[in-house]
Amino acid sequence: MTWELTRRRFVRAVNSKFIFDRIPLLHAVIFFIEMAIIARLVSRFNAYYDERPVLTMMVTNAVLGGIADTVAQTITSVRERALRKPGGVTKDDTVAIEIHELDRKNPWNDRELIPESKDLPPPFDFERLTRFMAYGFGMAPIQYKWFSFLSRAFPITKTSAFVPAMKRVAFDQLIFAPFGIGCFFTVMTIAEGGGRRAVAHKLRDMYIPTLKANFMVWPAVQIINFRLMPVQFQLPFVSTVGIAWTAYLSLTNASEEVEVKTAPYSPNIRLQ
């Protein structure tokens, strides 16, 4: 009991610290640690790739997925802090207001990614971060094999570059993208403890809007990727550009949890 009380006090103290009264300190520390790991990977990427290409992709994908979720949780935390203040959001909370406006104008999803709820998750969810990193780690071999297949099936040469690149994009968007989005929501829901009914509910509400958003963003990115990037850099390039996309997926996935867990607000906020 004493250990649990100490842990809760420590978590509360750490999560109550903000930089310039805006950016959560814990989120910033975790973000800079992740960026330091990425900097190390980038500095020796070719050497790591030559020795163990698949493992290198898995670690890189995991860390980039962690960065994306950290960004998503930071966005939520900034908005949440403004909501939890006495009196709610004020005109001085410019960042929180901008986040809300961008969320409200989101053309791909009718529901808000950061709902107007004071029953939001704790300021930093390490279990959620772990799930995203594990998902990136586990999906990397599949993505690696997929990009290798596309490279072999539609080789790009000096005399023929545009048409093979467009074929790769078409195959990627019509085959792998629908599979990948479905896999993401299924795996995440199961990892959160959901069963078959929860998976079906999540796919029913989230799959089509997310797939539409995918078709608005990724074809252009993949044209650049398949046209210009060597095969060993295609997955890191996609994962790097995809930090914003994965943050969007993280917020989309979390928004469903918040909506399901709606409850009367109590001023006695407890950080689990």
Side-chain angles (χ1 to χ4, degrees), residues 211-227:
L211 188 61
K212 290 179 180 178
N214 170 87
F215 289 147
M216 294 292 292
V217 173
W218 281 104
V221 173
Q222 292 290 39
I223 288 173
I224 297 172
N225 188 35
F226 293 135
R227 180 68 179 84

Side-chain angles (χ1 to χ4, degrees), residues 15-28:
N15 282 308
S16 65
K17 305 298 182 183
F18 282 74
I19 302 173
F20 302 120
D21 203 34
R22 290 285 189 277
I23 308 300
L25 177 62
L26 181 58
H27 297 60

Side-chain angles (χ1 to χ4, degrees), residues 137-167:
F137 188 84
M139 279 296 291
I142 299 174
Q143 292 174 296
Y144 175 79
K145 293 294 185 182
W146 174 250
F147 285 138
S148 297
F149 162 74
L150 291 179
S151 181
R152 293 192 305 270
F154 308 109
I156 292 177
T157 64
K158 291 182 179 179
T159 57
S160 179
F162 181 75
V163 173
M166 293 305 296
K167 288 180 179 179

Side-chain angles (χ1 to χ4, degrees), residues 66-106:
I67 291 173
D69 184 61
T70 302
V71 170
Q73 292 203 50
T74 302
I75 291 171
T76 302
S77 180
V78 170
R79 178 69 178 161
E80 177 184 4
R81 177 173 170 79
L83 284 171
R84 286 183 175 180
K85 288 193 316 181
V89 181
T90 65
K91 63 180 182 180
D92 294 329
D93 298 309
T94 54
V95 176
I97 292 171
E98 286 299 320
I99 291 171
H100 176 67
E101 286 300 308
L102 289 172
D103 188 7
R104 188 175 59 83
K105 295 175 182 177
N106 173 21

Side-chain angles (χ1 to χ4, degrees), residues 227-248:
R227 180 68 179 84
L228 301 177
M229 294 292 163
V231 66
Q232 69 268 29
F233 294 122
Q234 286 178 0
L235 181 53
F237 174 78
V238 166
S239 297
T240 302
V241 175
I243 287 176
W245 172 252
T246 307
Y248 171 79

Side-chain angles (χ1 to χ4, degrees), residues 185-206:
F185 285 122
T186 300
V187 171
M188 284 297 172
T189 304
I190 293 173
E192 291 159 3
R196 184 180 303 176
R197 183 176 297 179
V199 170
H201 182 77
K202 181 69 69 72
L203 291 175
R204 184 194 66 198
D205 290 347
M206 300 297 186

